[in-house]
Amino acid sequence: MMLAVIASILVFFLDTRLDYFKPVRSALSTAVYPMQAAASLPTDLTDWVNDFFQDRKQLREKITVMEANNMLQSIRLQKLQSLERENMRLKELLGSSFRLQERVQVAELLTIDLDPFSQQVVIDKGRNYGVYIGQPVLDATGVMGQVTETSEVSSRVVLLTDPSHSIPVQINRNGLRAVVTGRGLGEYLQMDFLPHNADVREGDLLVTSGLGGRFPVGYPVGKVVSVEFPQGKPFADIKVEPAAKLSTSREVMLVLPGEKIQTERLPAIQADIESSKAEIEHGDDN
């Protein structure tokens, strides 16, 4: 027993001080390594699987966040593009209003009548804004129609394409007067009651003639796209493309014609005249 203790101490001393058994330890470590690797394999495999699925989960979360951010940025971009288009439309309306002598008011479409036999829209201005039946309605490029019904907060507008709507026009080139009537959804306007010898050409611009008192003179109505002279019929078949963007315009202008403005101002003007006369007569008496 004592010899074994002495031998152990001697071996320990030789190994720690002189590295006498280092080759032996190296050989034993090499021999034991496969068993150590096999023993740790289940633990390593478990750690690898956990890391794999953890990385996939984190990657999925990152992808989800990136997709949400991408969608948000896309929505913001679409909103900016929509605001840019709206700004351009309003600028067009504003530019058009500068060219008009009458007072105008901007309104926005609320609903569109989908009935193919009735071309009408509802706008967000009513009697509380001074809208009245028969009031002309335009967009940035031409006449759209006129107001047919009013409430306190909204109004109904009949479009040029409505079969029940007609508007007096004149050819801008020569002043020839006629009437343009709607023919329904997707159809050109019809220029009525012109004989075969009428001076009408493709490309002629039609503007409001002012007859009837509804529309002031000179508003664009449309452009002649075809002129035909059917045999056996007394009138020419003339088709007109509307100047207004009836299917895309969202903002419109309500026009208060000059005649309406003058009519409203007549009582005040008359009162001023009577007051001036009274002052003159009073001065003569003195």
Side-chain angles (χ1 to χ4, degrees):
M1 184 65 180
M2 183 60 69
L3 291 175
V5 173
I6 295 172
S8 298
I9 293 173
L10 180 61
V11 170
F12 178 75
F13 176 79
L14 293 175
D15 186 44
T16 56
R17 298 294 182 179
L18 303 177
D19 281 338
Y20 188 78
F21 292 102
K22 184 176 181 179
V24 178
R25 286 203 316 273
S26 177
L28 291 175
S29 296
T30 303
V32 173
Y33 176 78
M35 291 182 289
Q36 292 177 335
S40 63
L41 183 61
T43 302
D44 294 340
L45 182 61
T46 302
D47 293 340
W48 181 84
V49 171
N50 290 335
D51 292 341
F52 175 78
F53 284 105
Q54 183 69 23
D55 291 342
R56 283 180 59 87
K57 181 180 179 181
Q58 292 177 354
L59 184 60
R60 285 180 178 178
E61 290 177 352
K62 289 181 180 179
I63 292 175
T64 302
V65 172
M66 292 178 65
E67 288 178 346
N69 288 333
N70 185 42
M71 185 178 299
L72 180 60
Q73 296 300 328
S74 177
I75 292 173
R76 287 176 176 172
L77 179 60
Q78 293 174 11
K79 183 63 175 177
L80 288 175
Q81 291 174 344
S82 176
L83 291 174
E84 182 180 7
R85 288 192 294 268
E86 183 178 358
N87 188 36
M88 292 176 62
R89 291 195 301 267
L90 291 175
K91 283 185 177 179
E92 290 177 354
L93 284 175
L94 186 60
S96 298
S97 65
F98 280 146
R99 296 192 292 268
L100 301 176
Q101 297 299 319
E102 292 75 24
R103 291 186 292 168
V104 296
Q105 184 179 51
V106 176
E108 188 172 349
L109 268 63
L110 291 179
T111 60
I112 299 174
D113 195 339
L114 299 179
D115 185 351
F117 302 103
S118 177
Q119 304 298 298
Q120 299 184 11
V121 297
V122 177
I123 58 176
D124 65 348
K125 296 293 188 295
R127 288 193 296 268
N128 56 348
Y129 280 89
V131 180
Y132 61 91
I133 294 177
Q135 187 170 11
V137 179
L138 289 74
D139 69 359
T141 57
V143 177
M144 291 189 65
Q146 60 181 301
V147 176
T148 57
E149 298 178 15
T150 61
S151 67
E152 289 299 321
V153 295
S154 64
S155 301
R156 182 172 292 272
V157 176
V158 60
L159 302 179
L160 292 181
T161 50
D162 191 286
S164 66
H165 189 274
S166 297
I167 181 172
V169 299
Q170 63 184 21
I171 298 176
N172 194 52
R173 175 175 55 86
N174 55 19
L176 181 64
R177 291 189 294 271
V179 176
V180 167
T181 304
R183 285 292 182 266
L185 181 65
E187 300 291 336
Y188 288 120
L189 307 176
Q190 184 74 28
M191 197 171 181
D192 296 326
F193 311 123
L194 285 182
H196 287 203
N197 60 352
D199 183 13
V200 186
R201 306 174 189 173
E202 291 186 14
D204 276 344
L205 174 64
L206 306 182
V207 298
T208 51
S209 65
L211 298 179
R214 288 287 176 92
F215 292 89
V217 179
Y219 289 172
V221 174
K223 181 178 67 174
V224 176
V225 293
S226 69
V227 181
E228 298 179 358
F229 303 100
Q231 294 293 331
K233 292 186 178 182
F235 301 113
D237 183 10
I238 304 171
K239 292 181 172 55
V240 178
E241 182 181 18
K245 300 175 182 178
L246 300 177
S247 60
T248 60
S249 293
R250 289 186 56 188
E251 293 83 16
V252 299
M253 288 186 295
L254 297 166
V255 181
L256 190 58
E259 293 81 3
K260 181 78 175 180
I261 297 173
Q262 294 172 6
T263 302
E264 290 179 342
R265 293 178 59 189
L266 279 178
I269 295 174
Q270 188 66 30
D272 290 340
I273 293 174
E274 294 297 334
S275 176
S276 299
K277 286 182 178 180
E279 290 178 0
I280 294 172
E281 292 175 355
H282 181 70
D284 291 342
D285 292 341
N286 292 337

